[in-house]
Amino acid sequence: MNEKRLKLLLILPLLTINLFNIVFILYKARGTGYFREAVRTIVDYFMGFHLIPLFIACLVLLYFHLSKKTSLSSFLYKIFLVLLLFFIAINISLFPEIMELRGGQEKFTFNKKNSSLKEAILKSPAKDARDARQYIQMNEYLRNKILTIPHSSPVEKDYYFKSLIKPNRLAKREYSYGMTGKDFEALKNYKLKSFNAFRRVKEIKKYIIVDASPGCNSLTLFTYDNNYIFIPSDLLQQHPLNVHD
Amino acid sequence: MINQFLFLLYIAILGVSFMFFFKNSLSSANLYLLSVPTGLSIWVFQLIILFILGLPFEKLFIGILSLLLLSVFIAIHRNKFFVKKNLVQIIIYLALYSGFSFLFLIFNYSFFTNDSWRMLIGGKYIATYGSLLDSLIDQRGLYAYIIHSSSNIFGFDYLYALYPLMMLFFALFFAYNLYSPLSPENKEVGRNILFSSLVVLFILSTFFVLLNAFYVHSNLLSGIYGFLALFGLWKHLVSKDRNWLIISAIAILSFSFLRIEGPLLSLIIIIILISIKQIKFKEKVYYVGAVSLFVVVWHIRLFFMLAGHTSKYYMNPARTLLITVLYTLIFTVLLVSQKGILNRIKEYFPLLMVYSLSIGWTILIFTEGPKTKGNLLVLKKYGRLILNSVKHGDWGITWIVLGILFAVALILKKLRHESLFLYYIFSFALLFNSIHLYRGGWRIGWGDSGNRMLMSIIFVISFYVFLKFRNVLFPNSLEK
């Protein structure tokens, strides 16, 4: 048996196993809406008026190729460049949307400069208990230039700690970053454990970040007006609050 | 700022002085463009050696050692360094490098998440106390902490200018190596340069790639070193220049120490290397031996550090032992594969690796991975991987384009030693899927670790795809 045939014989079962795995995963992951959303996104990228200039450019290049009888590789090269430019344009056009969706959380923009580590720390909020501990450590390090073990660190009085709990309700879907509109309205159905959060939340402009997984019965709400950070109640229990109002 | 500039300058000079070992074979462009990643790796590994061996991790000691290392390299190459032509090149390079360094130092757009804080804390802790913070031992690779120890050692806030500098030099390196020398009669130089520049621009127009140029993390460095490890191996085969193997070895060591799963991913390249007939046995022994030694010694040290440790985040004693056993085994296999049945089947090692990973992935799929926190819906989370690569992971249109072009590239005219790329890409994909299935799947958003891990493979896939298209678009290319 020659080498090529042997390699083909070895590769075919491999392809079969992996194709089967992919089909099985698609089957198991059906109904989640993720694939539908992915396909819709891909269609959105290519459709609309974006395709028309591309189509025209390709037609023009084809005309010149046929009329001037240029080589095939030269024609393909020009088509390739046009396509690359088109893809670059789409990628860049997505920048404002991506940066806008970030909202207050982990904001990365080119008009926000950091001048020092302290400034970077103060601008970047802690998301959960682990974060808050690391955060506190960094602040303590900056203050005292030493690093302390997190569990015994006092809570910085600049931060408020709350959590939302609705004991008998289960989160029906995953809440992920950048939730707005009607999803935000749905949050109102969740009962507050302590009072301050929701009243202040209404003052927050646009983006609220909620962390929850389907099947859990608590939501942790984070908001980024630099005064409120919400973290799970385990840290709440470990450290006394120092609420301003 | 001046202290950080001096540190970055030191890295560049160290890199150049080391790369002068390859002056006779590497082009000047590659020599200078690789000086930053190699200089950084050499500096980091001298500190890793100090740390592993438990030698004093103190500012003065490290400072003296760093200067000594630089002096030794310069002394060895003093004849080449002070030749007029080379001196002019070095001065121009350092002038440009300094200019860019100052630009990135002044315009600090560095970006943080909780992981970034942990790296900074870990780095500052090592520099202050000479040991790893208890809560961070099992979280990420040692390389990331050592890099950030530079801030306390050299006396500046935090190392932020390194990332955009690495991205800039890597982008130039990528473009240069995608550019193809043409036959003397062919005057398409301008088109050739335009092609490689647009490819790099396409990659940099990806928001997530650009973000990583400012993100204090290990994603960018993983991507760069992972690429250099494979590229060095491929270039060695194509150009028959042994020096590329050394560069690949340095890169793969860095890659292994950057992330917790680094040693597993590096094994892919090692297995591919063992199977290649064109590489001499002695060279394989040095390469695999050096990598295995570092990885094994560090993981044994980690085993004892984790032994009395309560937090089992990613690493635990059992996993450190597993890595130790795997690397010892692979080195042993290399040594005995000179003769007998192993010698006859070793060219099929990469295929066997892909088979094992496929079977492993299949098992994990049917057992839905270990049930993470009672989550029985692990397979449903696969949709999030697709959604992240298309929308929420901030990759723009890049993965869609690369996916389509990759499918087309597979049927284009074959590259020399193309199988290297294909084995690596498919093995990486299978291992990546298995790791995440094991950990419990993906979450939506760019911050998902799976999404960030895609940085480790994007440069490899991009290079492979565009290299194949380059060979179609420039049929008079001297390099195919």
Side-chain angles (χ1 to χ4, degrees):
Chain A
M1 190 185 291
N2 73 33
E3 207 184 292
K4 269 194 179 163
R5 211 173 274 183
L6 179 64
K7 279 211 162 144
L8 197 65
L9 261 177
L10 291 170
I11 287 168
L12 274 172
L14 204 57
L15 281 172
T16 315
I17 296 170
N18 287 301
L19 269 166
F20 175 77
N21 287 341
I22 291 167
V23 170
F24 186 73
I25 286 167
L26 287 173
Y27 171 74
K28 278 282 196 174
R30 73 193 189 284
T32 54
Y34 296 129
F35 294 115
R36 215 176 309 128
E37 194 179 341
V39 169
R40 212 178 305 133
T41 308
I42 294 170
V43 169
D44 282 344
Y45 284 147
F46 286 104
M47 296 306 284
F49 71 90
H50 296 127
L51 272 185
I52 296 170
L54 177 69
F55 191 61
I56 293 171
C58 291
L59 277 176
V60 166
L61 285 172
L62 182 65
Y63 168 75
F64 278 113
H65 167 65
L66 292 170
S67 64
K68 292 193 176 172
K69 294 186 173 59
T70 53
S71 67
L72 181 63
S73 61
S74 173
F75 169 65
L76 287 174
Y77 165 80
K78 286 170 190 155
I79 294 282
F80 199 82
L81 284 195
V82 165
L83 283 172
L84 268 181
L85 284 166
F86 174 66
F87 298 142
I88 291 168
I90 294 182
N91 267 349
I92 293 174
S93 72
L94 293 169
F95 273 37
E97 187 190 316
I98 292 171
M99 295 200 291
E100 177 66 19
L101 269 177
R102 290 289 173 83
Q105 191 226 6
E106 296 156 353
K107 199 170 194 141
F108 173 68
T109 62
F110 285 105
N111 57 359
K112 279 209 159 220
K113 241 175 33 161
N114 295 316
S115 57
S116 67
L117 179 57
K118 183 175 179 183
E119 190 184 309
I121 288 173
L122 292 175
K123 276 190 331 200
S124 176
K127 289 206 307 284
D128 59 22
R130 276 197 323 265
D131 283 354
R133 287 186 199 117
Q134 306 296 344
Y135 209 40
I136 289 160
Q137 261 184 309
M138 285 307 279
N139 270 309
E140 294 228 2
Y141 171 79
L142 284 176
R143 253 210 317 254
N144 309 317
K145 295 290 184 188
I146 56 165
L147 293 170
T148 58
I149 306 301
H151 297 286
S152 57
S153 300
V155 161
E156 286 285 355
K157 65 179 181 185
D158 293 336
Y159 305 121
Y160 303 93
F161 301 104
K162 313 275 184 252
S163 66
L164 303 163
I165 292 190
K166 182 92 175 173
N168 298 319
R169 286 273 294 261
L170 294 180
K172 287 206 172 66
R173 50 154 280 180
E174 179 179 11
Y175 293 91
S176 52
Y177 303 140
M179 195 172 68
T180 61
K182 57 180 167 62
D183 288 334
F184 171 49
E185 289 300 306
L187 278 185
K188 289 181 182 170
N189 295 325
Y190 280 79
K191 194 174 167 181
L192 290 171
K193 190 180 181 184
S194 45
F195 88 102
N196 280 331
F198 221 65
R199 207 175 56 179
R200 285 289 179 132
V201 157
K202 279 182 194 172
E203 292 167 16
I204 307 309
K205 297 297 179 313
K206 212 171 168 188
Y207 292 101
I208 296 169
I209 314 304
V210 177
D211 191 4
S213 301
C216 74
N217 63 355
S218 69
L219 293 177
T220 312
L221 182 73
F222 307 110
T223 178
Y224 297 92
D225 68 342
N226 291 329
N227 285 320
Y228 278 85
I229 296 176
F230 297 81
I231 59 160
S233 51
D234 66 338
L235 190 66
L236 190 73
Q237 279 147 26
Q238 280 176 39
H239 303 286
L241 278 182
N242 194 351
V243 178
H244 278 186
D245 54 358
Chain B
M1 190 163 89
I2 294 295
N3 288 4
Q4 191 170 162
F5 168 71
L6 289 173
F7 171 68
L8 292 169
L9 192 64
Y10 165 80
I11 293 292
I13 299 173
L14 182 69
V16 168
S17 59
F18 175 77
M19 292 300 289
F20 259 64
F21 280 112
F22 316 131
K23 184 82 176 102
N24 294 333
S25 59
L26 252 59
S27 64
S28 296
N30 275 332
L31 189 145
Y32 291 107
L33 291 172
L34 284 174
S35 62
V36 179
T38 47
L40 181 70
S41 290
I42 289 164
W43 183 78
V44 167
F45 273 96
Q46 79 171 331
L47 261 61
I48 285 179
I49 291 168
L50 287 186
F51 187 78
I52 291 176
L53 298 178
L55 292 171
F57 207 93
E58 284 164 12
K59 288 180 206 183
L60 187 62
F61 186 67
I62 290 168
I64 292 170
L65 207 63
S66 303
L67 283 172
L68 200 64
L69 190 65
L70 180 63
S71 311
V72 163
F73 285 148
I74 292 177
I76 292 172
H77 300 300
R78 63 187 179 281
N79 293 332
K80 289 184 219 168
F81 250 64
F82 299 106
V83 164
K84 186 181 173 187
K85 182 186 156 196
N86 291 340
L87 202 58
V88 166
Q89 280 180 352
I90 292 170
I91 290 170
I92 294 172
Y93 166 70
L94 290 178
L96 285 167
Y97 179 85
S98 304
F100 283 117
S101 303
F102 266 113
L103 192 72
F104 296 128
L105 282 165
I106 293 166
F107 295 100
N108 173 7
Y109 292 108
S110 61
F111 175 67
F112 283 83
T113 59
N114 46 342
D115 282 352
S116 314
W117 300 129
R118 287 182 207 131
M119 283 180 197
L120 289 184
I121 289 169
K124 287 179 184 293
Y125 199 89
I126 285 181
T128 311
Y129 299 111
S131 61
L132 265 176
L133 193 61
D134 250 12
S135 55
L136 298 176
I137 289 173
D138 49 2
Q139 285 194 26
R140 47 191 45 80
L142 186 59
Y143 199 102
Y145 297 131
I146 297 283
I147 289 175
H148 289 289
S149 66
S150 59
S151 59
N152 271 37
I153 294 167
F154 290 88
F156 51 86
D157 252 358
Y158 67 110
L159 187 64
Y160 56 85
L162 175 74
Y163 297 91
L165 264 176
M166 285 283 270
M167 178 61 103
L168 174 69
F169 280 84
F170 178 71
L172 292 170
F173 175 82
F174 192 99
Y176 176 75
N177 284 282
L178 194 60
Y179 167 86
S180 162
L182 301 165
S183 57
E185 307 85 50
N186 197 305
K187 305 293 173 203
E188 286 185 322
V189 174
R191 287 182 168 199
N192 209 343
I193 293 173
L194 184 61
F195 171 79
S196 53
S197 307
L198 276 181
V199 166
V200 168
L201 205 61
F202 167 65
I203 297 168
L204 289 177
S205 70
T206 312
F207 188 87
F208 193 62
V209 173
L210 201 58
L211 180 143
N212 274 285
F214 299 92
Y215 182 21
V216 178
H217 209 285
S218 57
N219 305 311
L220 175 68
L221 298 176
S222 287
I224 290 173
Y225 286 118
F227 172 83
L228 287 176
L230 187 73
F231 177 82
L233 195 58
W234 177 75
K235 198 75 180 172
H236 165 71
L237 293 172
V238 162
S239 62
K240 296 182 179 31
D241 181 356
R242 199 167 71 170
N243 295 319
W244 280 108
L245 211 53
I246 299 172
I247 291 166
S248 172
I250 294 171
I252 203 176
L253 262 174
S254 309
F255 188 57
S256 307
F257 276 78
L258 267 164
R259 294 178 66 95
I260 289 285
E261 64 271 0
L264 285 177
L265 295 168
S266 299
L267 268 179
I268 298 173
I269 295 179
I270 289 175
I271 289 170
I272 293 171
L273 173 101
I274 291 175
S275 73
I276 299 171
K277 283 187 247 185
Q278 292 92 331
I279 300 179
K280 291 182 194 152
F281 175 70
K282 212 166 132 184
E283 288 167 355
K284 288 182 196 176
V285 168
Y286 289 145
Y287 187 110
V288 179
V291 178
S292 302
L293 180 69
F294 266 99
V295 171
V296 163
V297 169
W298 165 240
H299 281 82
I300 290 173
R301 174 88 205 265
L302 194 58
F303 173 81
F304 288 108
M305 285 163 70
L306 287 170
H309 186 51
T310 49
S311 162
K312 304 286 192 284
Y313 202 71
Y314 295 121
M315 276 308 249
N316 54 41
R319 287 174 190 174
T320 59
L321 277 179
L322 175 67
I323 300 285
T324 307
V325 163
L326 279 173
Y327 271 80
T328 313
L329 187 66
I330 205 76
F331 187 60
T332 312
V333 165
L334 168 65
L335 292 176
V336 304
S337 64
Q338 271 286 87
K339 294 182 181 136
I341 189 166
L342 279 177
N343 186 35
R344 272 179 276 147
I345 65 165
K346 71 178 175 201
E347 66 176 289
Y348 296 104
F349 279 178
L351 202 54
L352 288 171
M353 169 176 62
V354 180
Y355 256 108
S356 318
L357 289 170
S358 301
I359 292 167
W361 186 38
T362 310
I363 293 170
L364 283 170
I365 284 170
F366 282 95
T367 56
E368 289 237 18
K371 307 292 187 280
T372 318
K373 294 176 190 165
N375 188 346
L376 301 172
L377 306 170
V378 177
L379 284 191
K380 284 193 183 284
K381 293 187 179 182
Y382 259 96
R384 295 178 192 173
L385 168 67
I386 307 293
L387 201 54
N388 278 345
S389 53
V390 166
K391 186 176 180 180
H392 294 292
D394 297 346
W395 291 98
I397 203 175
T398 300
W399 278 115
I400 302 163
V401 169
L402 283 178
I404 297 168
L405 291 181
F406 183 77
V408 173
L410 287 173
I411 56 173
L412 293 178
K413 195 173 169 188
K414 219 175 155 198
L415 272 178
R416 274 193 292 167
H417 306 287
E418 181 175 340
S419 54
L420 244 74
F421 288 102
L422 293 176
Y423 280 133
Y424 182 74
I425 291 166
F426 287 117
S427 303
F428 182 96
L430 289 164
L431 191 55
F432 164 80
N433 276 295
S434 304
I435 288 172
H436 281 275
L437 211 49
Y438 186 75
R439 280 174 56 178
W442 290 265
R443 57 187 172 95
I444 289 177
W446 71 269
D448 170 56
S449 62
N451 187 64
R452 289 186 283 106
M453 258 181 87
L454 291 174
M455 273 298 290
S456 302
I457 194 71
I458 186 162
F459 299 133
V460 172
I461 291 181
S462 304
F463 190 79
Y464 167 73
V465 160
F466 290 112
L467 194 65
K468 287 208 87 173
F469 276 93
R470 181 202 80 179
N471 290 348
V472 168
L473 298 175
F474 297 98
N476 297 315
S477 164
L478 289 174
E479 277 186 9
K480 285 199 180 282

